């Protein structure tokens, strides 16, 4: 019988944080590092073209293809929850928008009694990773592994949107990750030479040839192996066979907001009564595992465009093949951009310490951005094809959900109950956002382009009408966090050094540790969390 392989560190999950950890921990040749990934390798060249994100994200390929349970506050709708199942994790299929969040997010974490997590303390970790092509200042670095660049698109409606924001009284903001987050501008992206720059490409590929780093793909974790109150190994399923690896120092769960708590629960770490109810013997009663689920909910507002200048004309079916070839061969053209390039962070009312609403602007209708191509040989009215879209949502939602096991079978998908719009606070904030967005689109800059409001439509005016529309149409922005939160209270799962409470040799490093969701897209914060975890381990 072959001996169980032993390593110093085992990282479960090669996603946004896991790839960072694999790179940082294996840099010391004395550290033997194992990286386990349930998915496969990121070899598909279509991964690399930013505009094709919609097809990859909404297909079942390279992701876990999760769905929520029927959402009680969204008319019983079940929402699709794609999570990356591939090297690079969700950074391999996401929208590539690089937003760190607001400084007040991290200062609030610090105020919860979490030293090391204030904005001034996490900024060096953000900068350490970053290789920004156009920015180098107190907020940005040009020498890291993660290439970041300014928006690459040239559609004129994006400038119209920013101008309308200024006409409505908001500042222009050239850098949402700089001194202030508030205002209108264009997002930064993790794109390099027109290609997606996932954490796999940024951090893992440069480390793959290190002899002290072992990467195993197709390895789905089934449970952690505990000896007393210490985690000593990982059991995983690969090609239908169970295998075990042992760790002499730390096991780090970086499996994401769904699969990190799932691994704990399958191992008997979690709410004891819930575990007993499905036949799992509770080893350590940790009631917060799977709780505190937060996600950014938003709505999709859209208008007809009176002039044919939207992305519709560029994404016709007869133009797709040459556009893909241009992107793959030369890193240029429409497929190397992302449709939601312009955006804003605004306040729903005066007196707030920070913006509480995020806008994503796209010079196209959703059906165009998802590459549901029209027939280019069929004549249709301009209004039927050309339009623009705004996604509007609160960055600090009050609603909370949970992730629980469906059964003790490790291959069963867990139950995801997000409870979107559970809180009246979220509904009020979204209605404020809708009305503010209507005011922005009503500005002079949009006069020559603005057609009929398509969604929610001019008939939806009252709070009652808008609430009804939101419950029927609101959706996720795919930013779930918080299911293994960091803290000192009874519902906390990890401490400020990301160590699981009550279990030695076990840490968690991914977006699940966020006690409060960051203000904006969550991939950059997940990468920062990986950097912080490596910092804690290597300085111990």
């Amino acid at each position: 019988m072959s001996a169980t392989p032993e390593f110093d560190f085992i990282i479960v999950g090669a996603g946004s944080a896991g790839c960072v950890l694999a790179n940082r921990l294996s840099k010391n040749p004395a550290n033997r590092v194992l990286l386990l990934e349930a998915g496969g390798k990121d070899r598909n060249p279509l991964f690399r073209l930013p505009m094709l994100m919609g097809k990859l994200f909404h297909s079942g390929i390279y992701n876990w293809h999760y769905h929520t349970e029927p959402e009680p506050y969204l008319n019983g709708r079940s929402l699709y929850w794609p999570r990356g199942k591939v090297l690079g994790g969700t950074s391999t299929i996401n929208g590539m928008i690089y937003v760190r969040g607001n400084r007040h997010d991290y200062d609030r974490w610090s105020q919860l009694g979490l030293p090391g997590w204030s904005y001034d303390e996490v900024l060096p970790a953000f900068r350490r990773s970053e290789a920004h092509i156009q920015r180098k200042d107190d907020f940005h670095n040009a020498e890291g592994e993660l290439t970041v660049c300014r928006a690459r698109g040239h559609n004129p409606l994006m400038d119209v949107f920013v101008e309308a924001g200024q006409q409505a009284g908001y500042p222009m903001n050239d850098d949402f990750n700089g001194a202030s987050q508030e205002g209108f501008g264009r997002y930064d992206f993790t794109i390099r030479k027109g290609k997606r720059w996932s954490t796999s490409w940024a951090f893992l590929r440069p480390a793959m040839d290190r002899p002290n780093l072992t990467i195993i793909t197709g390895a789905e974790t089934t449970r952690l192996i505990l000896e007393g109150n210490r985690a000593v190994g990982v059991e995983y399923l690969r090609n239908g066979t169970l295998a075990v690896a042992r760790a002499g120092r730390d096991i780090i769960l970086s499996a994401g907001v769904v699969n990190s708590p799932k691994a704990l629960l399958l191992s008997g770490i979690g709410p004891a009564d819930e575990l007993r109810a499905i036949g799992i013997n509770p080893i350590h009663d940790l009631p917060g595992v799977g709780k505190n689920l937060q996600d950014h909910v938003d709505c999709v507002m859209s208008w007809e465009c009176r002039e044919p200048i939207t992305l519709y004309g560029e994404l016709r079916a007869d133009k797709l093949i040459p556009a893909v070839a241009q992107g793959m061969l030369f890193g240029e053209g429409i497929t190397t951009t992302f449709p939601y390039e312009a955006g804003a962070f605004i306040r729903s009312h005066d007196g707030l310490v920070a913006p509480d609403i995020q806008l994503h602007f796209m010079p196209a209708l959703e059906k165009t951005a998802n590459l549901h191509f029209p027939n280019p040989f069929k004549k249709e009215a301009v209004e039927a094809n050309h339009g623009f879209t705004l996604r509007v949502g609160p960055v600090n939602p009050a609603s909370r959900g949970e992730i629980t096991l469906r059964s003790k079978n490790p291959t069963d998908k867990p139950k995801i109950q997000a409870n979107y719009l559970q809180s009246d606070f979220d509904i009020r904030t979204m209605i404020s956002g809708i009305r503010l967005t209507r005011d922005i689109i009503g500005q002079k800059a949009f006069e020559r382009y603005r057609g009929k409001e398509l969604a929610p439509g001019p008939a939806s005016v009252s709070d009652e009408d808008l609430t009804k529309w939101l419950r029927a149409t609101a959706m996720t922005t795919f930013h779930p966090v918080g299911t293994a939160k960091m803290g000192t209270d009874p519902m906390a799962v990890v401490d400020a050094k990301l160590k699981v409470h009550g279990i030695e040799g076990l840490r968690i490093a991914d977006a699940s540790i966020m006690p409060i969701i960051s203000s904006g897209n969550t991939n950059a914060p997940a990468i920062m969390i990986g950097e912080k975890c490596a910092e804690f381990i290597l300085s111990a």
Side-chain angles (χ1 to χ4, degrees):
M1 184 176 179
S2 60
T4 300
E6 295 204 13
F7 301 86
D8 296 302
F9 301 100
I10 298 176
I11 304 163
V12 178
S16 296
C19 287
V20 174
L21 280 158
N23 181 297
R24 300 300 187 233
L25 297 182
S26 66
K27 192 169 288 188
N28 182 344
N31 291 334
R32 298 165 299 163
V33 181
L34 172 63
L35 177 62
L36 297 173
E37 168 55 43
K41 297 179 179 179
D42 54 339
R43 290 175 173 168
N44 189 328
L46 295 181
F47 279 141
R48 308 298 311 287
L49 290 180
M51 187 62 76
L52 297 188
M53 167 264 172
K55 279 296 184 187
L56 292 173
F57 209 61
H58 292 282
S59 73
I61 305 171
Y62 311 114
N63 78 67
W64 289 91
H65 208 253
Y66 288 133
H67 291 79
T68 71
E69 297 298 296
E71 289 294 333
Y73 308 98
L74 295 184
N75 297 347
R77 290 183 290 130
S78 176
L79 300 192
Y80 178 44
W81 258 42
R83 298 285 90 199
K85 189 180 182 182
V86 62
L87 293 180
T90 304
S91 78
T92 298
I93 64 172
N94 71 357
M96 298 152 287
I97 296 177
Y98 184 82
V99 170
R100 295 174 177 175
N102 195 289
R103 72 162 49 240
H104 296 286
D105 298 331
Y106 305 105
D107 288 344
R108 284 199 295 170
W109 293 11
S110 177
Q111 290 162 9
L112 293 173
L114 298 169
W117 292 95
S118 69
Y119 176 77
D120 289 340
E121 291 168 308
V122 301
L123 179 58
F126 278 118
R127 295 186 76 254
R128 187 181 308 132
S129 294
E130 188 184 36
H132 205 296
I133 294 174
Q134 294 98 350
R135 308 184 198 274
K136 187 175 182 181
D137 52 32
D138 290 345
F139 300 98
H140 297 284
N141 180 32
E143 283 81 43
E145 294 85 355
L146 185 73
T147 299
V148 181
C149 69
R150 292 173 180 262
R152 299 164 48 87
H154 303 290
N155 188 281
L157 282 176
M158 289 187 286
D159 291 332
V160 171
F161 171 71
V162 175
E163 182 182 0
Q166 293 176 275
Q167 290 174 351
Y170 301 100
M172 181 178 179
N173 192 336
D174 183 59
D175 181 9
F176 293 129
N177 301 304
S180 173
Q181 188 186 49
E182 187 169 16
F184 279 63
R186 297 199 189 189
Y187 293 110
D188 283 356
F189 291 85
T190 50
I191 295 175
R192 180 185 174 110
K193 297 181 179 179
K195 306 289 180 63
R196 172 190 296 275
W197 200 242
S198 69
T199 56
S200 173
W201 280 80
F203 298 98
L204 200 55
R205 285 175 183 261
M208 279 183 171
D209 292 335
R210 295 174 184 170
N212 60 324
L213 175 61
T214 301
I215 302 170
I216 302 178
T217 56
E220 185 169 348
T221 296
T222 55
R223 67 183 178 97
L224 305 172
I225 297 171
L226 303 175
E227 292 180 357
N229 67 340
R230 183 174 184 84
V232 298
V234 178
E235 179 187 86
Y236 60 93
L237 185 66
R238 188 168 190 257
N239 296 326
T241 302
L242 283 175
V244 172
R246 293 180 65 91
R249 291 183 62 183
D250 278 346
I251 296 169
I252 307 106
L253 290 177
S254 294
V257 72
V258 177
N259 291 321
S260 284
K262 179 186 175 185
L264 293 175
L265 295 169
L266 288 170
S267 308
I269 303 170
D273 291 343
E274 292 182 14
L275 293 173
R276 289 191 192 97
I278 58 170
I280 294 178
N281 180 40
I283 294 174
H284 179 53
D285 185 13
L286 202 56
V289 174
K291 313 305 181 187
N292 191 50
L293 173 61
Q294 302 161 59
D295 191 11
H296 287 138
V297 64
D298 73 357
C299 61
V300 179
M301 302 181 70
S302 60
W303 281 261
E304 293 174 346
C305 185
R306 295 163 57 192
E307 295 196 14
I309 61 169
T310 71
L311 296 179
Y312 174 86
E314 298 183 77
L315 293 178
R316 292 182 354 187
D318 58 336
K319 293 185 177 183
L320 176 61
I321 293 176
V324 168
Q326 181 188 23
M328 292 301 301
L329 293 174
F330 306 110
E332 299 175 352
I334 188 64
T335 61
T336 69
T337 66
F338 186 66
Y340 282 103
E341 288 199 333
F345 290 90
I346 62 177
R347 304 171 198 242
S348 62
H349 58 274
D350 293 337
L352 295 178
V353 70
D356 62 335
I357 293 171
Q358 183 179 11
L359 307 179
H360 293 83
F361 176 80
M362 177 174 65
L365 299 175
E366 282 276 346
K367 63 181 181 181
T368 302
N370 288 336
L371 305 186
H372 295 168
F373 299 105
N375 183 345
F377 307 108
K378 180 181 177 182
K379 291 185 178 180
E380 296 176 302
V382 168
E383 292 81 4
N385 306 318
H386 288 280
F388 49 88
T389 300
L390 274 140
R391 298 191 68 154
V392 183
V395 295
N396 304 125
S399 300
R400 296 291 185 269
E402 65 177 5
I403 289 173
T404 56
L405 294 182
R406 197 172 300 277
S407 76
K408 65 179 180 180
N409 184 343
T411 62
D412 282 350
K413 292 182 178 180
K415 294 180 180 180
I416 301 170
Q417 192 75 70
N419 288 331
Y420 297 111
L421 300 188
Q422 175 192 55
S423 169
D424 289 340
F425 173 86
D426 296 345
I427 295 172
R428 292 195 305 271
T429 304
M430 292 189 77
I431 290 175
S432 294
I434 290 169
R435 291 183 172 137
L436 292 171
T437 300
R438 283 173 166 165
D439 178 63
I440 293 159
I441 301 304
Q443 297 299 315
K444 184 177 179 180
F446 271 108
E447 275 187 4
R448 64 180 285 191
Y449 308 105
R450 182 179 59 247
K452 184 175 70 174
E453 181 182 315
L454 300 174
S460 295
V461 176
S462 68
D463 286 4
E464 182 180 2
D465 288 340
L466 291 173
T467 298
K468 183 178 179 180
W469 178 72
L470 287 171
R471 296 206 187 280
T473 64
M475 57 194 298
T476 169
T477 55
F478 313 109
H479 300 158
V481 308
T483 51
K485 78 168 188 174
M486 176 172 53
T488 59
D489 63 280
M491 295 299 288
V493 177
V494 299
D495 65 14
K497 296 294 179 77
L498 305 184
K499 296 179 180 180
V500 174
H501 288 299
I503 302 290
E504 295 182 7
L506 181 61
R507 300 182 196 242
I508 302 177
D510 55 38
S512 69
I513 66 96
M514 292 189 187
I516 304 169
I517 194 168
S518 58
S519 298
N521 312 70
T522 51
N523 189 56
I527 294 169
M528 178 275 290
I529 289 166
E531 288 280 17
K532 291 291 287 185
C533 186
E535 176 186 314
F536 296 145
I537 291 171
L538 295 174
S539 64

